[in-house]
Amino acid sequence: MKKTVAAILLAAGSSSRMGGVNKMLAEIGGRDPIDICVGVFSRHADSIVIAVSDATRPAAERAAANVCVPVIIVGGGARRQDSVMNALLAADADLVAVHDCARCLVSDEVIKRAIDSAREFGSGVAAVKMRDTVRRIDTGETVDREGLYLMQTPQCFDREKLLEAYRRLDGDVTDDAAVWQTLYGSARLTEGSMENQKLTEREDLEFFERLAGKRTMDMRIGIGEDTHRLTEGRKLVLGGVEIPFRLGLLGHSDADALIHAIIDALLGAAALGDIGGHFPDSDPAYKDISSLVLLERTAELIDSRGYSVSNVDATVTAQEPKLKPYIEEMRKKIADALGVGVEKISIKATTPEHLGPEGRSEGITARAVACIIGV
Ligand code: MG
C-alpha cells in the first residue's frame, strides 16, 4: 500500500529579525506564507498539521478552509523542535514532510523529490550545494566547500523513526536532519532550489514579492466531449435545466451531456481520469442522479488537489429545441455547483444545419474546455 504523507508546516516562529513584522502574516503576491504553503502541500500530502502561535492561528484557520485535505492546527513551542514535536504527535501518517512556512516559494518539484526519497529510503531532505567561497572573517581562513550544503526544507522522514529520535533528543537543534542524524546517521539529501529561500529579514520581502511574481502559475486546461441519444419518454436536461421538448436524452443518470462534457474537461485538466472512472454507470447510486451533484463532487475533487476553477467554456450542438432561452439559467446552475461566479462560465449553443446525427435530432453533443489554476 502507498505510504501516507502528512505535511508538518511550521508557522509558530517569533520573526526576531523582521523588525516587528510577523513574517507569517506578510503578504507575498497577495497571500500570506501559511496560505501559500498549505496550498502547495495540499497537492502532495494526505493531511496537513500546522504548528502556530496565537498570532498566526487565524491565518492558519483561513488557509485550512481553502483546501480539501484534512488540516490539524496545533500550538507551537518555544523552539522549532518543540513545535515539530507537537506536530509529530498530532500527525497520523507513515511519512512526514516538515517544512518551514518561511520558505513559501518552495516548488512542487522540490517537495516531490524529498517525499519520493523518504518513500524509498526513509529520508529525503532538500538541500543545495554550497557555491560561494566561504571564509572565516576572524582568521581569514577559507573553508573547504567540499561536502558543504545549505539545508532547506521540506525534510521528509518515516514518522515513527523521526518521533523516536525527537523523543531521545537532548539539547538544541536547528533542523530535523540534525535530529535524524543522532540516531540513524546522515539523512539522504535531495535537490533543493535556489528559489527556496527562507523569509528572514524585512528587506527579503521585496525579493520574495519579485520572485513570486515571476513564477509561472500552475495553469492547466482540459477538454471534454459527450453525446447522448434523443429518445421519447425521457426528460431533456441540459446544464441542470429541464427543457420542455418532445424528446429527452437517454442515459443512466439524467444524461445531461453538457455537464458530462464539463466534468470531463475539469477532470482532464487535473489529469484525474474521466467521468466513467469516477461515477461509473454500472453503479446504481448514479441511476437518474442529477448531473449537478456529480459536478459538485468533481469540484471538490479538483479543490482537494489544490486547484481552483478559472473558467469553463462549452458549446452544445443540437438541431432542436432552441436553447437560447435557457442559457442564463444553465450558467447560473453550473456556476453554483462549481462554487464560482457566473462570469466564469460560458455556454453556447449551435445548430448543425440538419447535418449529422445531431442535425437529424438523433442525439445532442456537448463540448467543453476548462481552465484550472494551482492555488
Ligand atoms: Mg454522458
Side-chain angles (χ1 to χ4, degrees), residues 124-152:
V125 172
V128 290
K129 236 186 169 136
M130 194 74 213
R131 297 183 185 188
D132 302 315
T133 295
V134 184
R135 183 166 299 132
R136 291 203 57 93
I137 211 71
D138 47 358
T139 62
E141 175 206 359
T142 299
V143 180
D144 183 7
R145 266 194 310 239
E146 189 56 38
L148 280 190
Y149 281 83
L150 302 170
M151 307 304 288
Q152 301 185 334

Side-chain angles (χ1 to χ4, degrees), residues 8-337:
I8 289 179
L9 302 181
L10 303 175
S14 60
S15 309
S16 52
R17 282 170 285 182
M18 285 291 285
V21 179
N22 189 324
K23 62 184 171 187
M24 287 302 135
L25 307 177
E27 270 206 6
I28 294 149
R31 300 168 68 198
D32 63 64
I34 301 174
D35 189 41
I36 298 171
C37 289
V38 168
V40 180
F41 275 88
S42 72
R43 295 200 278 273
H44 301 273
D46 306 286
S47 59
I48 294 175
V49 183
I50 316 175
V52 299
S53 63
D54 288 345
T56 58
R57 184 177 289 271
E61 285 169 355
R62 278 195 302 277
N66 286 336
V67 289
C68 268
V69 296
V71 179
I72 299 169
I73 295 172
V74 297
R79 300 166 298 176
R80 184 187 187 279
Q81 66 205 67
D82 305 321
S83 296
V84 175
M85 187 66 183
N86 290 353
L88 273 174
L89 291 169
D92 179 19
D94 303 314
L95 304 172
V96 287
V98 186
H99 185 69
D100 297 317
C101 281
R103 295 190 191 272
C104 57
L105 296 176
V106 66
S107 67
D108 287 289
E109 291 75 21
V110 169
I111 297 171
K112 191 173 179 308
R113 281 195 286 267
I115 290 177
D116 284 350
S117 169
R119 266 189 211 291
E120 198 172 346
F121 307 105
S123 66
V125 172
V128 290
K129 236 186 169 136
M130 194 74 213
R131 297 183 185 188
D132 302 315
T133 295
V134 184
R135 183 166 299 132
R136 291 203 57 93
I137 211 71
D138 47 358
T139 62
E141 175 206 359
T142 299
V143 180
D144 183 7
R145 266 194 310 239
E146 189 56 38
L148 280 190
Y149 281 83
L150 302 170
M151 307 304 288
Q152 301 185 334
T153 63
Q155 303 196 351
C156 307
F157 305 93
D158 181 286
R159 186 187 71 93
E160 289 283 343
K161 288 178 84 176
L162 184 65
L163 186 60
E164 182 58 25
Y166 263 98
R167 281 201 169 112
R168 295 198 198 184
L169 182 65
D170 180 25
D172 292 352
V173 289
T174 55
D175 70 354
D176 315 288
V179 181
W180 181 266
Q181 182 134 17
T182 59
L183 271 196
Y184 313 111
S186 303
R188 218 178 160 95
L189 299 186
T190 58
E191 197 187 333
S193 143
M194 290 307 283
E195 279 196 7
N196 187 20
Q197 295 293 323
K198 191 172 186 174
L199 177 59
T200 308
E201 303 192 1
R202 198 173 192 153
E203 293 68 42
D204 297 345
L205 273 174
E206 199 193 318
F207 171 78
F208 268 64
E209 185 79 40
R210 233 181 310 141
L211 220 54
K214 276 194 188 135
R215 296 180 81 166
T216 47
M217 255 189 304
D218 186 15
M219 191 171 81
R220 311 175 61 138
I221 59 164
I223 184 170
E225 174 170 336
D226 195 30
T227 301
H228 279 264
R229 185 181 288 279
L230 279 167
T231 182
E232 284 176 1
R234 289 273 301 183
K235 287 178 184 166
L236 176 61
V237 181
L238 281 172
V241 179
E242 197 178 320
I243 298 164
F245 187 47
R246 64 190 155 79
L247 304 171
L249 292 173
L250 186 63
H252 181 69
S253 62
D254 63 0
D256 189 329
L258 172 54
I259 291 190
H260 294 181
I262 293 172
I263 289 173
D264 259 1
L266 290 165
L267 292 174
L272 285 174
D274 64 12
I275 186 169
H278 289 275
F279 315 110
D281 60 11
S282 55
D283 188 337
Y286 302 122
K287 175 107 181 78
D288 295 324
I289 196 170
S290 165
S291 296
L292 284 171
V293 175
L294 307 184
L295 185 60
E296 269 172 35
R297 290 195 198 154
T298 305
E300 285 165 15
L301 233 118
I302 299 289
D303 190 60
S304 72
R305 301 302 162 109
Y307 291 103
S308 67
V309 177
S310 174
N311 78 303
V312 168
D313 181 29
T315 298
V316 182
T317 304
Q319 188 61 45
E320 51 178 349
K322 280 272 169 263
L323 297 176
K324 197 161 175 246
Y326 307 100
I327 296 277
E328 282 316 304
E329 201 184 336
M330 292 179 192
R331 290 178 66 207
K332 186 161 181 339
K333 291 213 164 176
I334 292 163
D336 285 350

